[in-house]
Amino acid sequence: MAAEIQPKPLTRKPILLQRVEGSQEVVNMAVLVPKEEGVISVSEDRTVRVWLKRDSGQYWPSIYHVMPSPCSCMSFNPETRRLSIGLDNGTISEFILSEDYNKMTPVKNYQAHQSRVTMILFVLELEWVLSTGQDKQFAWHCSESGQRLGGYRTSAVASGLQFDVETRHVFIGDHSGQVTILKLEQENCTLVTTFRGHTGGVTALCWDPVQRVLFSGSSDHSVIMWDIGGRKGTAIELQGHNDKIQALSYAQHTRQLISCGSDGGIVIWNMDVERQETPEWLDSDSCQKCDQPFFWNFKQMWDSRKIGLRQHHCRKCGKAVCGKCSSKRSSIPLMGFEFEVRVCDSCHEAITDEERAPTATFHDSKHNIVHVHFDATRGWLLTSGTDKVIKLWDMTPVVS
């Protein structure tokens, strides 16, 4: 009798809808145009392009505009069709796009920074333009008058910028790994606090105003979720990338976080689970399991006539242990460890199969990601890469 053939389980993954090509240099930022099959992109080749889908199914530029300097970043407001573009020379140029997205009209220029603009946010409710630059300055301008309202010097070059309209708090992440929170008024700002949890520079920020949590991505390959609204100082670590985090986006309706790395990895995190903080690593001069001395503990080594051992730490309990007492590896998804990490032998026995169940899915974009934009309404994700290609993805199979 022939063996019964079991059908293979269907693997859910993002669906590649389109490749948009034509830029001569890297596309530093791009956005999906809401309610339109269109893309707005700004590139290192100094071009601003609006790509619209034609009857042929291909995306072709309806606008091709050359700026006086390489375009480093942008902010687009769909309601007003206001496009703010940050340039390598420190200028922010503002345009209004026509309803049919076939024309862009210059509005004004802001002499915002002394060097390359790194991030821009346009806040419609307050008519503010927020920006950061390589001059280590955070600035905000009135979009009506063009007047500079104020500024703040950051500890390092900023690479992440988010704003909460309700509280007027701005979140700035910089290359030193620090996140700064400022309270903005019409013409001044107050430092609320600074904090750091990454061992590398902050490369991306994402703010969820509903849950009041801030996500930060870093060159140390990790994502941290900071509980700002809970005021408990909770910081949940997420480890699922093999290279630096380039972009973060949060799908509020499904409580899923999308993180993208420069290695092309797209990770979808289920944030609708009760996650645990990683423990602080404990200090000890000897293994906290077998009491063998570590190699710097000369007195105990001499007294016990034993060779000192190298110190490790269990990722689950945080205890200082030797290699023999931590020979096992395990994933701990609820602590953010989707990959297998070092755990002590007793913790390895205590971790159940249920606790090892993944809370994230992993996908390959097949290009080194520079920037992403997520359209939650359609469930589409845009990725731009170092290969100068923009890819459009249907994420509904995995973000739902």
Side-chain angles (χ1 to χ4, degrees):
M1 183 177 175
E4 183 182 352
I5 298 173
Q6 296 290 336
K8 290 184 179 179
L10 294 173
T11 304
R12 293 188 172 190
K13 59 182 182 179
I15 300 166
L16 180 61
L17 300 173
Q18 194 77 44
R19 290 168 57 97
V20 181
E21 303 179 61
S23 297
Q24 302 303 308
E25 297 290 343
V26 173
V27 175
N28 287 317
M29 277 197 184
V31 296
L32 291 155
V33 179
K35 301 176 184 177
E36 298 276 347
E37 292 202 80
V39 172
I40 303 169
S41 68
V42 297
S43 170
E44 201 67 31
D45 65 9
R46 299 192 296 136
T47 63
V48 181
R49 308 184 199 211
V50 178
W51 311 79
L52 295 180
K53 191 174 183 180
R54 308 301 182 181
D55 293 338
S56 63
Q58 299 298 311
Y59 282 74
W60 290 96
S62 62
I63 294 175
Y64 180 99
H65 183 85
V66 179
M67 301 296 291
S69 181
C71 306
S72 53
C73 56
M74 62 174 280
S75 177
F76 177 63
N77 181 262
E79 293 177 51
T80 59
R81 298 187 306 283
R82 188 191 304 245
L83 179 64
S84 307
I85 302 166
L87 302 179
D88 188 64
N89 63 12
T91 303
I92 297 175
S93 295
E94 205 166 79
F95 299 86
I96 297 293
L97 300 183
S98 61
E99 286 188 43
D100 60 5
Y101 290 95
N102 282 306
K103 183 182 178 184
M104 55 191 284
T105 305
V107 177
K108 63 171 71 73
N109 289 327
Y110 307 87
Q111 301 305 317
H113 297 276
Q114 298 299 312
S115 55
R116 187 179 178 92
V117 183
T118 55
M119 295 295 292
I120 305 175
L121 281 179
F122 171 64
V123 184
L124 177 62
E125 295 84 348
L126 300 168
E127 295 288 349
W128 285 353
V129 177
L130 316 181
S131 62
T132 56
Q134 284 191 346
D135 57 1
K136 301 182 184 178
Q137 285 287 333
F138 161 73
W140 72 106
H141 291 76
C142 173
S143 62
E144 288 294 296
S145 65
Q147 179 184 352
R148 181 184 172 98
L149 299 175
Y152 180 87
R153 185 167 180 82
T154 55
S155 59
V157 175
S159 47
L161 182 64
Q162 293 285 280
F163 185 69
D164 183 60
V165 176
E166 184 184 335
T167 62
R168 296 191 181 186
H169 284 153
V170 64
F171 307 94
I172 306 166
D174 65 42
H175 287 177
S176 74
Q178 180 171 289
V179 177
T180 302
I181 304 181
L182 304 173
K183 168 85 171 181
L184 298 192
E185 302 297 344
Q186 188 61 31
E187 294 183 359
N188 60 71
C189 67
T190 307
L191 175 64
V192 177
T193 188
T194 62
F195 51 87
R196 63 175 71 229
H198 292 288
T199 56
V202 174
T203 51
L205 289 180
C206 179
W207 170 245
D208 174 25
V210 178
Q211 302 292 327
R212 306 201 68 74
V213 295
L214 180 72
F215 298 96
S216 62
S218 170
S219 58
D220 66 9
H221 309 176
S222 73
V223 177
I224 297 179
M225 181 182 79
W226 307 89
D227 181 11
I228 305 294
R231 299 183 182 278
K232 295 178 182 177
T234 309
I236 304 294
E237 208 170 324
L238 304 174
Q239 299 277 0
H241 286 273
N242 293 311
D243 210 330
K244 72 174 179 178
I245 313 298
Q246 288 288 67
L248 299 169
S249 190
Y250 187 66
Q252 290 179 358
H253 62 299
T254 61
R255 295 195 66 181
Q256 288 171 289
L257 177 72
I258 304 169
S259 61
C260 298
S262 58
D263 59 354
I266 300 175
V267 183
I268 316 297
W269 303 88
N270 177 12
M271 303 310 296
D272 198 20
V273 293
E274 191 170 338
R275 293 188 175 273
Q276 305 162 16
E277 278 192 283
T278 51
E280 292 285 336
W281 284 6
L282 301 176
D283 290 325
S284 179
D285 291 329
S286 57
C287 175
Q288 294 179 302
K289 292 292 182 180
C290 69
D291 204 37
Q292 282 270 80
F294 293 132
F295 65 82
W296 60 83
N297 188 352
F298 297 115
K299 185 179 185 305
Q300 190 178 341
M301 286 165 58
W302 178 263
D303 292 344
S304 62
R305 298 293 191 272
K306 291 179 179 177
I307 297 173
L309 303 175
R310 183 182 171 191
Q311 184 189 65
H312 302 281
H313 282 92
C314 172
R315 301 308 192 269
K316 182 136 183 16
C317 66
K319 288 183 177 178
V321 289
C322 67
K324 187 177 179 181
C325 293
S326 59
S327 60
K328 306 283 178 44
R329 302 290 183 271
S330 175
S331 60
I332 322 172
L334 293 179
M335 279 189 169
F337 296 113
E338 292 288 336
F339 303 146
E340 290 194 341
V341 290
R342 181 185 295 272
V343 292
C344 66
D345 293 353
S346 54
C347 280
H348 188 271
E349 290 177 17
I351 299 171
T352 64
D353 289 342
E354 189 176 329
E355 289 176 309
R356 289 189 177 96
T359 61
T361 59
F362 300 84
H363 313 280
D364 186 6
S365 69
K366 299 195 186 306
H367 67 165
N368 298 334
I369 294 173
V370 173
H371 173 75
V372 306
H373 177 243
F374 181 61
D375 180 352
T377 306
R378 285 179 287 185
W380 284 18
L381 182 75
L382 175 153
T383 62
S384 63
T386 55
D387 56 2
K388 309 169 192 174
V389 176
I390 298 169
K391 294 183 180 181
L392 307 184
W393 305 86
D394 179 2
M395 301 297 289
T396 53
V398 290
V399 180
S400 60

